[in-house]
Amino acid sequence: MKKILYTISTVLTAIFLFWPIMYTVISRRITLPGNPLIQAVVGVLLFGTIAYVTFEERETEETQELTVS
């Protein structure tokens, strides 16, 4: 479940990263309320935080064998 949530939040973070650019194309067809810059910042912070929290690092055999001595 964490992997799916991580994938979705990563994709949404990427979308909101370019939201002000996409907003100009979308707003020609549909009028959306609000400032696109504020929407982009909130989206990146929200979904970026979710992606950061749900990220799980995979341990390989090399990292398991290394020890500090």
Side-chain angles (χ1 to χ4, degrees), residues 13 16 39-50:
T13 302
F16 274 100
Q39 293 171 355
V41 169
V42 170
V44 167
L45 287 175
L46 177 69
F47 294 115
T49 303
I50 293 171

Side-chain angles (χ1 to χ4, degrees), residues 8-26:
I8 292 170
S9 61
T10 304
V11 170
L12 287 173
T13 302
I15 289 172
F16 274 100
L17 206 80
F18 297 103
W19 180 245
I21 298 168
M22 294 185 313
Y23 182 85
T24 58
V25 176
I26 294 171

